[in-house]
Amino acid sequence: MKTILKRSSLLITLVFTIIVKAADPFISFVKTENSVVLKEHNSSLMLFSDSDSDKGILRAVANLQSDFQKVTGVQPNLISQSSGVNGMLIIIGEAGKSKTIDALIKAKKIDGNSIKGKNEKYIIQNISNPFPGFSEAIVIAGSDKRGTIYGIYEMSQQIGVSPWYYWADVPVEKKENLYFKKGIYTDGEPAVEYRGIFLNDEEPSLGGWARATFGGINSKFYEKVFELILRMKGNYIWPAMWGKAFYDDDALSEPFSE
């Protein structure tokens, strides 16, 4: 927890029993014969996502931009069209809703059967010649919205940003060079349908800290909680309820729960 909470008696019960197997390591900090440059000192990196992507996916993409900046000191640009740019691309999208991902499936650059009809699954892989003028790209493709988001945050974790960077003050180690090990990576489908957090005995410790930090147990607070849940590949929360009502106390909390 943040500094105040480390000294409190707050109990947060985590029901994250990680059933899915973690994706194999795909980021290295030293170039090998079987790797491609993701980011080097003088190279450029861009994130590509369709402009009409789900707002939850775009929020995670924005976090990925920030995470790359934490690690490398440089924030990659987010683009939605490939013309007039060059450099390494990370292409991000949801199968069946992203025209770019669907085009890559149709061109057999990625295997659509590995994600179509699946639940909360992602694949991360390198591909060749994704667009004219680009010889290489990394693709993060999800079977659905959450699968795509989980893939985004898997990339964040593998470059060195812990899901607990905020709540437990886990430091981020600076790296000038990042390389992607060629291959296809996935956690598969979750074995447990609902995975999340139960906030237990939120008063006075959590409530006092949240009021001092965010002005209450409100949408600003839940934004951080939900980000943690998604970074941990969860999909469920049992919200704090001591004299509180999640939807009534702050109407802005509702969009975070969609």
Side-chain angles (χ1 to χ4, degrees):
M1 291 296 161
K2 300 298 286 182
T3 304
I4 293 174
L5 297 185
K6 288 175 181 173
R7 295 194 293 267
S8 75
S9 59
L10 171 70
L11 172 63
I12 288 185
T13 302
L14 300 180
V15 290
F16 276 124
T17 302
I18 303 302
I19 304 298
V20 295
K21 63 179 182 180
D24 292 333
F26 53 74
I27 296 295
S28 65
F29 308 111
V30 178
K31 187 171 175 56
T32 66
E33 291 184 3
N34 192 42
S35 66
V36 295
V37 175
L38 190 59
K39 181 73 178 76
E40 286 183 327
H41 177 65
N42 293 318
S43 68
S44 62
L45 171 65
M46 290 163 290
L47 309 184
F48 181 102
S49 188
D50 296 316
S51 58
D52 59 352
S53 294
D54 181 271
K55 61 184 179 181
I57 292 174
L58 291 176
R59 177 181 290 274
V61 169
N63 286 337
L64 182 58
Q65 286 181 282
S66 176
D67 291 345
F68 269 108
Q69 184 170 34
K70 289 184 179 77
V71 174
T72 68
V74 179
Q75 179 171 292
N77 290 328
L78 173 61
I79 62 174
S80 57
Q81 57 183 11
S82 61
S83 59
V85 295
N86 57 66
M88 174 55 85
L89 279 181
I90 299 179
I91 302 170
I92 301 166
E94 176 184 353
K97 293 190 176 179
S98 164
K99 60 182 181 294
T100 302
I101 294 298
D102 289 350
L104 293 174
I105 291 173
K106 185 176 180 179
K108 301 189 184 303
K109 299 288 185 181
I110 57 179
D111 179 12
N113 292 329
S114 66
I115 48 177
K116 284 184 176 180
K118 305 297 184 181
N119 179 51
E120 299 182 344
K121 181 181 178 181
Y122 68 84
I123 56 173
I124 301 175
Q125 68 175 93
N126 62 292
I127 63 171
S128 299
N129 305 311
F131 305 124
F134 290 86
S135 61
E136 199 90 34
I138 309 302
V139 175
I140 301 174
S143 62
D144 46 34
K145 176 171 70 174
R146 279 192 291 271
T148 308
I149 291 171
Y150 297 158
I152 293 168
Y153 286 135
E154 179 66 28
M155 175 66 75
S156 288
Q157 185 164 359
Q158 293 226 11
I159 67 173
V161 179
S162 167
W164 295 93
Y165 79 94
Y166 178 81
W167 290 100
D169 299 313
V170 177
V172 177
E173 186 176 351
K174 297 288 187 180
K175 295 290 183 180
E176 187 173 56
N177 301 321
L178 299 172
Y179 303 94
F180 183 87
K181 299 178 183 178
K182 293 180 181 180
I184 303 173
Y185 303 89
T186 184
D187 281 339
E189 294 181 277
V192 174
E193 185 174 3
Y194 296 111
R195 312 165 307 280
I197 287 177
F198 167 49
L199 299 177
N200 184 52
D201 293 339
E202 75 277 4
E203 293 292 352
S205 298
L206 178 60
W209 175 80
R211 284 186 287 275
T213 306
F214 301 108
I217 296 184
N218 53 23
S219 59
K220 294 179 181 178
F221 164 79
Y222 278 116
E223 180 178 5
K224 293 294 187 183
V225 174
F226 289 172
E227 180 188 330
L228 171 65
I229 293 172
L230 290 169
R231 284 181 183 267
M232 296 284 287
K233 302 185 178 71
N235 59 7
Y236 176 85
I237 186 171
W238 186 340
M241 286 288 102
W242 280 23
K244 303 173 184 68
F246 179 82
Y247 293 106
D248 293 336
D249 291 345
D250 186 346
L252 293 178
S253 293
E254 184 174 359
F256 290 117
S257 65
E258 292 178 354

